[in-house]
Amino acid sequence: MKIRGPLGVLFVGITFFCSANHAAGSPAQNSSSRELFLQVIVVRSSEEAQQVVERLKKGADFGQIAREESIDPTADSGGFMGEYEPNALRTELRAALNGVGEGQFSAVVHIPSGYAILKVMREKREGETAAPADPARSFSLEATGTVKYVNDVDGLAEAEAVLLRFPKGPNWNSDPGNVCKLRKESLATSISRLKDLLAKDAGAAADHTPYDTMEAHFALAQLYAYQGRMDPALEEYKASYQMAVASVPGAVPQMEEALGIGYLHKSEMENDIYSSPGERCLFPMRPGLAYKNTDDSNTAIGYFLNYLDKKPEELEVRWLLNLAYMTLGEYPDAVPKKYLIPPSAFESKEDVGRFVDVAGDAGLNMLSTAGGLIVDDFENNGLLDVVTSGFESCGPMHYFHNNGDGTFTERTKEAGLSGLVGGLNILQANYNNDGCIDILVMRGGWEFPQSKTLLRNNCNGTFTDVTAESGLGQSVSSSQAAVWVDINNDGFLDLFVGNENGPAQLFLNKGDGTFEDISMISGIAGDGTAFSKGVTAADYDGDGYMDLYVSNLNGRNLLYHNNHNNTFKEVALKAGVPGTGRGFGTWFFDYDNDGLPDLFVTSYFASVDETMRTYLELPHNAGTLKLYRNLGDGTFQDVTQEVGLDKVYMPMGANFGDIDNDGYLDIYLGTGNPSYGSVIPNVLLRNHDGKYFVDVTASSGTGELHKGHGVAFADLGNNGNEDLLEEVGGATLGDIHTFRLFKNPGHANDWITIKLVGVKTNRMGIGARIRVTVENEGQGRRSICRTVGSGGSFGSSPLQQHIGLGKSARIVSVEVDWPVSKTKQVFTEVQKNQFIQIQELSEQYTRLERKSFSVGGARKSASAAVTSR
């Protein structure tokens, strides 16, 4: 609903009240089985939607507007959805079509992917046959609307809306510092004006309804919540609730849940859970870790119980109720039995030892919103440093220097990174082949187009911003997803960028420090508008050239086959890897060590309800994670169910590594979404011998309840065990969280770490393949396979490859296949439990001496510092 009257001067076009949930509460008015040919336009804000409506009223062509403005995957076909029965659509879309005749268009409807307007082209004629609609192209519009999306209590959408409406100069979004300044100004101005308008009793306006007043209070609450000012936010939520009780009874349950979420979030903040969490937000919460101040948790319980009295089957609120009782130390005994989610639902079937958070002891003392994470040796001294970025417009980057004794020192200023703000994701590579690792900063994901930043490593502990001179600063885009890849085997890394609400970009490295945009001529941009959330690269068909995979939030995913001439052909359906239509993080990895790159891709439904269905083993309404096994003939087999990954977890940050050095790659998923009600465990999945995956979150102690973004696996102490690092934090200032470093407990298995140095291939060996053949005592011979790359989504692990070998291992051989020189190196009699360097074309490898130390602890003696041979 659009706020009218004086309030509309400030907030016209913003739908404030949990519209997906609110709409879902309305009965479907159109249950007709008539079959319709439909078009759709989806835009990012209700303001844009109102502008579209005005153009349509003036006779503008629906299809042309769809091509120009729509962010739905149907945009390139003029918004044509195909043939639908209304009952196949989301509930709110179904209701919007009630009474809409042929040639007419609907009112604006808020759906999870944006603001939609439907047009009825015509009804299907009797006896007519037509191709069915492509479900992947309009996934967010379909009856997966039965998915219950999380109640949005966070203020992110409102904060973005007021920023976009705020007066701005030309090219305002090309300078991250300016975006930060405007963000602060727009928030302060909007809160002040809205307070003034409400204080003057704007409801006196003739056209100002109680529903408008309710939404206005809710809007102000959301802006306070965005800032983390929960006391004034809760006062406004309560004012909105009182209006709902008096005049809008259909909104009462959602407001009760919003208040419960608000009070639970305030309870966390009052008990320092975000700044000093310890184990209090590691799930399952151990006995004796109850909150000290429990008044707000008790208030939250009251609101949740009121909600459940009306809707007892709602899993989201049941989970939040259980969680609130955990904060009191009264779970499970005090939870009403009809609402209890039993502890047995979360138990691990395997014990992998407990990982302990030592971030504070290690000096990784940092609070941040969501952001990116890189762990790598930026100083070429054999020690892994840590770099982070933050999503919030004013959020700074951080550079932590590894001291070589288990601790880190922040050197952001010394590294030349002060003043660099924003950046939902960061990614490392050596783009100029000087042997020093550079950094790419991506911005605008989930928001509006912004600039990228390329930081050149000066090989002396500092970085220089070379965005403009490199040619990467010529355009702004909304992105969090990119991959460095040599598409033409010339030895230089090119850059593929997956964008939101726009075509992808491909930048060809010219070898002189600059890039050429070949997006159009390569065929990459030809697939039109997408909403890409993850990209990855590998030579999936073994033809010697790297291919690209793109995971899209709206519509099916894309697999670009390399044509060997700087062009690509899209073959996802032919290869059997379409995804779920709601894609997010993705990567190629060889999960079963057969030498072929398999493909993992997450699904992303912002639904606590669907996550609880995973734990309670209930049927899902949403698409699950996907694992595609490479068959070696250019196609893949969906083995998701076979390997036990047919789960829904709401993953954002994600990566893979070997937690127990058994040689099989495991998975960690950072979960959540911006809502303060999205408080669910992050997930650690152990790869069991390449056959299936087991949830070991509870036994490992890695079940952080808050928003997981940057994830990396890295042997920080050079002791042969990969630790787990995670930048935790949400999308708002009220959801800032401390960093996590989960120290690996060790598993007495062998390992080897291999650093590649390219000569004809790019310097860091990205794209090179490693095969280690081992014999494990009593188990015979096997191969362990890796491809050099930095990892998964929202997090980059070191480019050097840590390879677990299993127990009592003897290395038979180490093989390296180089993509540019087309050469294979084979080394025998390589000792285990050491670091080695292999240079392309060299006949020998080099043993690297590394100091070993305990992460978060004191350095070992010099005599014990050299790794075993």
Side-chain angles (χ1 to χ4, degrees):
M1 171 179 271
K2 182 176 76 173
I3 297 176
R4 299 185 296 270
L7 293 175
V9 173
L10 180 60
F11 287 107
V12 63
I14 304 173
T15 300
F16 293 108
F17 180 65
C18 305
S19 57
N21 289 324
H22 182 64
S26 304
Q29 300 179 32
N30 188 341
S31 58
S32 170
S33 60
R34 61 177 180 154
E35 297 180 13
L36 308 173
F37 288 90
L38 299 173
Q39 287 174 282
V40 68
I41 296 170
V42 182
V43 292
R44 298 190 68 185
S45 70
S46 57
E47 180 184 21
E48 292 176 89
Q50 294 298 333
Q51 293 171 353
V52 168
V53 169
E54 293 304 317
R55 292 174 62 185
L56 292 172
K57 287 180 177 178
K58 294 177 181 178
D61 182 71
F62 194 100
Q64 186 60 35
I65 297 178
R67 292 184 182 91
E68 295 173 353
E69 307 291 346
S70 183
I71 63 174
D72 191 74
T74 59
D76 57 349
S77 63
F80 181 64
M81 294 170 58
E83 171 195 348
Y84 274 89
E85 289 185 7
N87 287 340
L89 295 170
R90 294 180 58 86
T91 308
E92 55 266 49
L93 292 174
R94 197 182 317 160
L97 281 175
N98 187 51
V100 178
E102 186 172 309
Q104 297 178 331
F105 57 87
S106 72
V108 177
V109 183
H110 191 187
I111 60 175
S113 59
Y115 294 79
I117 304 161
L118 292 173
K119 178 180 178 181
V120 177
M121 300 176 70
R122 62 178 177 83
E123 294 191 29
K124 181 180 176 182
R125 300 185 179 94
E126 185 175 353
E128 181 180 19
T129 59
D134 180 353
R137 286 176 59 80
S138 300
F139 194 83
S140 62
L141 310 175
E142 298 213 351
T144 49
T146 54
V147 172
K148 183 185 185 298
Y149 289 89
V150 66
N151 199 333
D152 288 324
V153 180
D154 54 83
L156 177 64
E158 289 76 10
E160 182 178 352
V162 298
L163 172 60
L164 292 177
R165 286 190 55 81
F166 197 70
K168 299 177 288 292
N171 301 318
W172 66 275
N173 54 345
S174 62
D175 177 6
N178 189 50
V179 173
C180 167
K181 174 176 174 289
L182 290 169
R183 173 77 75 185
K184 291 178 179 179
E185 292 177 354
S186 63
L187 272 173
T189 300
S190 299
I191 288 174
S192 176
R193 290 181 179 176
L194 190 50
K195 285 174 60 180
D196 289 345
L197 288 168
L198 284 168
K200 293 176 182 176
D201 191 17
D207 63 347
H208 190 203
T209 70
Y211 187 79
D212 295 334
T213 303
M214 180 187 74
E215 280 200 317
H217 281 293
F218 192 86
L220 183 55
Q222 290 283 77
L223 293 179
Y224 281 134
Y226 174 87
Q227 296 178 314
R229 300 167 62 187
M230 295 311 296
D231 283 326
L234 285 164
E235 289 304 310
E236 297 300 327
Y237 285 133
K238 284 189 283 189
S240 184
Y241 175 51
Q242 290 162 4
M243 294 295 300
V245 171
S247 304
V248 194
V252 168
Q254 282 71 33
M255 281 308 311
E256 287 173 338
E257 181 185 3
L259 278 161
I261 291 171
Y263 273 103
L264 183 58
H265 189 71
K266 180 172 181 282
S267 182
E268 292 181 311
M269 296 180 74
E270 293 289 328
N271 286 278
D272 296 324
I273 294 302
Y274 293 91
S275 57
S276 302
E279 294 195 349
R280 291 179 296 169
C281 56
L282 297 182
F283 187 83
M285 189 182 294
R286 290 183 167 186
L289 295 177
Y291 292 3
K292 182 179 180 180
N293 304 313
T294 58
D295 288 349
D296 293 320
S297 289
N298 276 308
T299 303
I301 286 171
Y303 282 113
F304 292 145
L305 287 173
N306 286 343
Y307 182 102
L308 290 168
D309 282 344
K310 305 174 188 68
K311 298 184 177 183
E313 300 304 317
E314 289 283 1
L315 286 176
E316 176 176 306
V317 182
R318 282 180 59 192
W319 161 248
L320 292 170
L321 176 70
N322 280 253
L323 189 61
Y325 275 108
M326 290 178 206
T327 69
L328 304 180
E330 298 177 3
Y331 170 86
D333 297 339
V335 181
K337 289 194 180 341
K338 59 183 176 180
Y339 302 139
L340 177 65
I341 299 179
S344 58
F346 306 97
E347 292 176 353
S348 295
K349 294 182 174 61
E350 295 180 1
D351 187 355
V352 295
R354 191 165 183 87
F355 289 64
V356 177
D357 178 22
V358 296
D361 293 337
L364 293 172
N365 298 307
M366 180 191 68
L367 292 165
S368 73
T369 55
L373 167 67
I374 302 172
V375 182
D376 220 319
D377 183 2
F378 287 99
E379 301 170 25
N380 284 336
N381 59 3
L383 301 171
L384 298 175
D385 310 299
V386 176
V387 180
T388 69
S389 66
F391 168 72
E392 195 269 320
S393 298
C394 302
M397 292 186 69
H398 294 275
Y399 182 94
F400 292 96
H401 163 79
N402 190 326
N403 297 323
D405 61 359
T407 67
F408 293 79
T409 299
E410 181 165 2
R411 290 187 180 174
T412 305
K413 181 179 180 181
E414 293 83 349
L417 302 182
S418 295
L420 284 169
V421 294
L424 186 51
N425 201 7
I426 51 180
L427 187 66
Q428 88 275 37
N430 183 199
Y431 78 93
N432 58 359
N433 285 341
D434 64 355
C436 303
I437 299 175
D438 314 299
I439 298 173
L440 177 73
V441 183
M442 290 161 279
R443 299 184 180 89
W446 297 115
E447 293 189 301
F448 43 86
Q450 298 178 53
S451 63
K452 295 177 278 290
T453 297
L454 180 62
L455 299 167
R456 185 188 66 213
N457 189 331
N458 299 321
C459 300
N460 61 1
T462 69
F463 295 82
T464 298
D465 185 340
V466 295
T467 311
E469 65 191 69
S470 71
L472 295 181
Q474 296 179 4
S475 63
V476 294
S477 63
S478 299
S479 180
Q480 65 181 47
V483 63
W484 291 99
V485 54
D486 184 356
I487 66 166
N488 55 5
N489 288 337
D490 66 352
F492 289 95
L493 290 171
D494 312 300
L495 178 63
F496 176 83
V497 180
N499 289 315
E500 302 172 8
N501 305 325
Q505 295 170 293
L506 181 58
F507 298 95
L508 190 69
N509 191 329
K510 297 167 68 176
D512 59 0
T514 67
F515 294 82
E516 176 188 357
D517 188 341
I518 62 168
S519 307
M520 291 303 298
I521 62 175
S522 68
I524 290 297
D527 289 289
T529 297
F531 202 97
S532 302
K533 302 303 290 183
V535 296
T536 186
D539 178 10
Y540 77 91
D541 58 352
D543 66 355
Y545 284 80
M546 299 291 280
D547 311 295
L548 302 163
Y549 188 75
V550 183
S551 179
N552 291 314
L553 187 67
N554 296 332
R556 67 173 173 84
N557 297 342
L558 306 170
L559 176 61
Y560 290 108
H561 178 262
N562 194 323
N563 295 327
H564 309 178
N565 59 359
N566 290 351
T567 69
F568 293 80
K569 180 180 180 180
E570 204 288 301
V571 296
L573 291 178
K574 180 180 178 181
V577 289
T580 62
R582 197 79 178 164
F584 207 95
T586 186
W587 58 70
F588 284 103
F589 73 153
D590 190 353
Y591 84 94
D592 55 359
N593 285 327
D594 66 353
L596 300 171
D598 309 301
L599 183 59
F600 175 76
V601 58
T602 66
S603 65
Y604 186 73
F605 292 83
S607 173
V608 172
D609 177 274
E610 291 294 320
T611 301
M612 288 304 110
R613 288 175 178 274
T614 290
Y615 289 113
L616 295 172
E617 299 182 348
L618 297 174
H620 284 294
N621 300 304
T624 69
L625 306 170
K626 286 292 182 183
L627 180 62
Y628 298 108
R629 182 173 180 268
N630 194 325
L631 299 178
D633 60 359
T635 67
F636 294 77
Q637 176 187 2
D638 186 343
V639 295
T640 306
Q641 187 170 6
E642 176 185 327
V643 301
L645 289 178
D646 49 340
K647 316 288 186 185
V648 179
Y649 286 119
M650 209 191 312
M652 298 180 297
N655 215 326
F656 59 89
D658 188 351
I659 60 170
D660 52 4
N661 280 339
D662 66 350
Y664 293 96
L665 291 167
D666 313 299
I667 295 171
Y668 189 75
L669 304 174
T671 59
N673 94 315
S675 174
Y676 297 157
S678 176
V679 187
I680 54 176
N682 296 339
V683 180
L684 182 59
L685 302 168
R686 178 176 180 259
N687 184 339
H688 195 103
D689 300 330
K691 298 175 182 177
Y692 56 89
F693 289 81
V694 179
D695 185 342
V696 293
T697 307
S699 68
S700 65
T702 59
E704 168 63 57
L705 282 165
H706 296 109
K707 319 303 166 49
H709 283 83
V711 175
F713 290 81
D715 178 7
L716 288 182
N718 288 340
N719 55 26
N721 294 302
E722 284 195 302
D723 308 300
L724 176 58
L725 298 91
E726 182 177 25
E727 184 173 20
V728 182
T732 68
L733 293 169
D735 216 358
I736 291 174
H737 197 284
T738 193
F739 193 84
R740 290 289 198 182
L741 165 55
F742 294 108
K743 181 179 179 180
N744 195 314
H747 297 86
N749 284 341
D750 296 316
W751 54 276
I752 188 169
T753 296
I754 302 174
K755 178 181 179 180
L756 297 188
V757 178
V759 176
K760 293 187 176 182
T761 299
N762 65 86
R763 183 69 174 268
M764 296 297 163
I766 291 178
R769 291 175 291 135
I770 301 171
R771 178 188 294 268
V772 180
T773 301
V774 300
E775 288 181 350
N776 296 101
E777 186 175 334
Q779 297 182 10
R781 184 172 294 190
R782 64 179 174 128
S783 293
I784 303 166
C785 303
R786 300 287 185 269
T787 299
V788 179
S790 62
S793 169
F794 274 126
S796 299
S797 300
L799 293 172
Q800 66 182 26
Q801 296 298 297
H802 174 92
I803 303 173
L805 305 176
K807 195 173 297 293
S808 303
R810 181 182 74 85
I811 296 177
V812 177
S813 64
V814 174
E815 304 174 35
V816 182
D817 284 287
W818 296 91
V820 175
S821 63
K822 308 296 182 186
T823 58
K824 178 193 292 287
Q825 293 165 299
V826 181
F827 302 98
T828 59
E829 299 184 6
V830 178
Q831 298 300 306
K832 62 187 180 183
N833 300 337
Q834 66 171 333
F835 293 78
I836 66 172
Q837 177 174 294
I838 298 175
Q839 182 170 299
E840 187 176 14
L841 305 177
S842 177
E843 295 182 357
Q844 297 182 346
Y845 68 87
T846 303
R847 181 179 182 273
L848 300 173
E849 292 196 0
R850 295 284 187 258
K851 294 179 179 179
S852 174
F853 43 86
S854 176
V855 178
R859 184 186 304 183
K860 293 185 179 180
S861 65
S863 60
V866 178
T867 56
S868 60
R869 294 179 180 272

